[in-house]
Short mmCIF file of all heavy atoms in Angstrom, two decimals:
data_model
loop_
_atom_site.label_atom_id
_atom_site.label_comp_id
_atom_site.label_asym_id
_atom_site.label_seq_id
_atom_site.Cartn_x
_atom_site.Cartn_y
_atom_site.Cartn_z
N PRO A 100 113.00 106.38 112.41
CA PRO A 100 113.11 105.99 111.00
C PRO A 100 113.51 107.18 110.13
O PRO A 100 113.09 108.31 110.36
CB PRO A 100 111.69 105.51 110.64
CG PRO A 100 110.83 105.80 111.81
CD PRO A 100 111.69 106.26 112.94
N ILE A 101 114.35 106.91 109.17
CA ILE A 101 114.84 107.96 108.27
C ILE A 101 114.09 107.83 106.94
O ILE A 101 113.98 106.73 106.39
CB ILE A 101 116.35 107.83 108.05
CG1 ILE A 101 117.08 108.02 109.38
CG2 ILE A 101 116.83 108.83 107.01
CD1 ILE A 101 118.56 107.73 109.31
N ASP A 102 113.59 108.92 106.46
CA ASP A 102 112.91 108.95 105.16
C ASP A 102 113.93 108.64 104.07
O ASP A 102 114.95 109.30 103.96
CB ASP A 102 112.28 110.34 104.94
CG ASP A 102 111.50 110.42 103.64
OD1 ASP A 102 111.37 109.38 102.95
OD2 ASP A 102 111.02 111.51 103.33
N MET A 103 113.65 107.60 103.27
CA MET A 103 114.60 107.18 102.23
C MET A 103 114.92 108.31 101.25
O MET A 103 116.04 108.40 100.78
CB MET A 103 114.05 105.98 101.44
CG MET A 103 114.14 104.67 102.18
SD MET A 103 115.81 104.24 102.70
CE MET A 103 116.54 103.79 101.12
N SER A 104 113.97 109.15 100.95
CA SER A 104 114.23 110.21 99.98
C SER A 104 115.26 111.21 100.51
O SER A 104 115.93 111.88 99.74
CB SER A 104 112.94 110.93 99.58
OG SER A 104 112.38 111.57 100.71
N GLU A 105 115.41 111.28 101.83
CA GLU A 105 116.43 112.16 102.40
C GLU A 105 117.81 111.51 102.32
O GLU A 105 118.81 112.19 102.25
CB GLU A 105 116.11 112.48 103.86
CG GLU A 105 114.87 113.35 104.03
CD GLU A 105 114.50 113.56 105.48
OE1 GLU A 105 115.33 113.27 106.36
OE2 GLU A 105 113.39 114.03 105.73
N GLN A 106 117.86 110.18 102.32
CA GLN A 106 119.12 109.48 102.25
C GLN A 106 119.67 109.45 100.83
O GLN A 106 120.87 109.51 100.63
CB GLN A 106 118.96 108.03 102.71
CG GLN A 106 118.82 107.88 104.20
CD GLN A 106 118.77 106.42 104.58
OE1 GLN A 106 118.14 105.62 103.90
NE2 GLN A 106 119.42 106.08 105.67
N LEU A 107 118.80 109.32 99.85
CA LEU A 107 119.21 109.19 98.46
C LEU A 107 119.35 110.56 97.81
O LEU A 107 118.63 111.48 98.15
CB LEU A 107 118.18 108.36 97.68
CG LEU A 107 117.89 106.96 98.22
CD1 LEU A 107 116.74 106.34 97.45
CD2 LEU A 107 119.12 106.08 98.13
N SER A 108 120.27 110.64 96.89
CA SER A 108 120.43 111.89 96.15
C SER A 108 119.58 111.81 94.88
O SER A 108 119.96 111.17 93.91
CB SER A 108 121.90 112.09 95.79
OG SER A 108 122.05 113.24 95.02
N ILE A 109 118.42 112.45 94.92
CA ILE A 109 117.49 112.39 93.80
C ILE A 109 117.80 113.52 92.83
O ILE A 109 117.80 114.69 93.20
CB ILE A 109 116.02 112.51 94.29
CG1 ILE A 109 115.71 111.43 95.33
CG2 ILE A 109 115.05 112.43 93.13
CD1 ILE A 109 115.80 110.02 94.84
N TYR A 110 118.07 113.14 91.57
CA TYR A 110 118.41 114.12 90.55
C TYR A 110 117.18 114.94 90.14
O TYR A 110 117.28 116.15 89.93
CB TYR A 110 119.00 113.41 89.33
CG TYR A 110 119.14 114.27 88.11
CD1 TYR A 110 120.11 115.26 88.04
CD2 TYR A 110 118.29 114.12 87.02
CE1 TYR A 110 120.23 116.06 86.93
CE2 TYR A 110 118.40 114.92 85.91
CZ TYR A 110 119.38 115.89 85.87
OH TYR A 110 119.49 116.69 84.76
N ASP A 111 116.01 114.28 90.04
CA ASP A 111 114.82 114.97 89.55
C ASP A 111 113.59 114.15 89.91
O ASP A 111 113.70 113.00 90.31
CB ASP A 111 114.90 115.12 88.02
CG ASP A 111 114.00 116.23 87.49
OD1 ASP A 111 113.31 116.89 88.30
OD2 ASP A 111 113.97 116.43 86.26
N GLN A 112 112.43 114.77 89.77
CA GLN A 112 111.15 114.07 89.91
C GLN A 112 110.50 114.04 88.53
O GLN A 112 110.48 115.05 87.84
CB GLN A 112 110.24 114.76 90.91
CG GLN A 112 110.75 114.68 92.33
CD GLN A 112 109.78 115.32 93.31
OE1 GLN A 112 109.22 116.37 93.04
NE2 GLN A 112 109.60 114.68 94.45
N VAL A 113 109.99 112.88 88.14
CA VAL A 113 109.46 112.68 86.80
C VAL A 113 108.06 112.07 86.91
O VAL A 113 107.85 111.12 87.65
CB VAL A 113 110.38 111.73 85.99
CG1 VAL A 113 109.84 111.54 84.59
CG2 VAL A 113 111.80 112.26 85.95
N GLU A 114 107.12 112.61 86.14
CA GLU A 114 105.77 112.05 86.09
C GLU A 114 105.79 110.76 85.28
O GLU A 114 106.53 110.65 84.29
CB GLU A 114 104.80 113.04 85.42
CG GLU A 114 104.66 114.37 86.14
CD GLU A 114 103.66 114.31 87.28
OE1 GLU A 114 102.86 113.35 87.34
OE2 GLU A 114 103.70 115.23 88.12
N ILE A 115 104.97 109.80 85.66
CA ILE A 115 104.94 108.51 84.96
C ILE A 115 104.61 108.69 83.48
O ILE A 115 105.12 107.96 82.64
CB ILE A 115 103.94 107.53 85.63
CG1 ILE A 115 104.10 106.13 85.04
CG2 ILE A 115 102.51 108.04 85.53
CD1 ILE A 115 103.33 105.06 85.78
N GLU A 116 103.82 109.71 83.13
CA GLU A 116 103.45 109.96 81.74
C GLU A 116 104.68 110.31 80.88
O GLU A 116 104.64 110.17 79.66
CB GLU A 116 102.43 111.09 81.62
CG GLU A 116 101.10 110.82 82.27
CD GLU A 116 101.10 111.07 83.79
OE1 GLU A 116 101.94 111.85 84.28
OE2 GLU A 116 100.28 110.45 84.48
N ASP A 117 105.75 110.80 81.52
CA ASP A 117 106.94 111.21 80.77
C ASP A 117 107.91 110.06 80.53
O ASP A 117 108.90 110.23 79.82
CB ASP A 117 107.66 112.34 81.51
CG ASP A 117 106.81 113.60 81.60
OD1 ASP A 117 105.98 113.82 80.68
OD2 ASP A 117 106.96 114.36 82.57
N LEU A 118 107.63 108.90 81.12
CA LEU A 118 108.50 107.74 80.94
C LEU A 118 108.13 107.00 79.66
O LEU A 118 107.00 107.09 79.19
CB LEU A 118 108.36 106.77 82.12
CG LEU A 118 108.69 107.33 83.50
CD1 LEU A 118 108.42 106.26 84.55
CD2 LEU A 118 110.13 107.79 83.57
N THR A 119 109.09 106.25 79.12
CA THR A 119 108.83 105.36 77.99
C THR A 119 108.66 103.96 78.55
O THR A 119 109.48 103.51 79.35
CB THR A 119 110.03 105.38 77.01
OG1 THR A 119 110.22 106.72 76.55
CG2 THR A 119 109.78 104.46 75.83
#
Side-chain angles (χ1 to χ4, degrees):
I101 297 172
D102 183 4
M103 284 303 287
S104 63
E105 292 175 14
Q106 285 184 320
L107 303 173
S108 177
I109 304 297
Y110 169 72
D111 201 1
Q112 292 183 319
V113 181
E114 299 277 344
I115 190 171
E116 296 82 24
D117 296 331
L118 301 177
T119 301

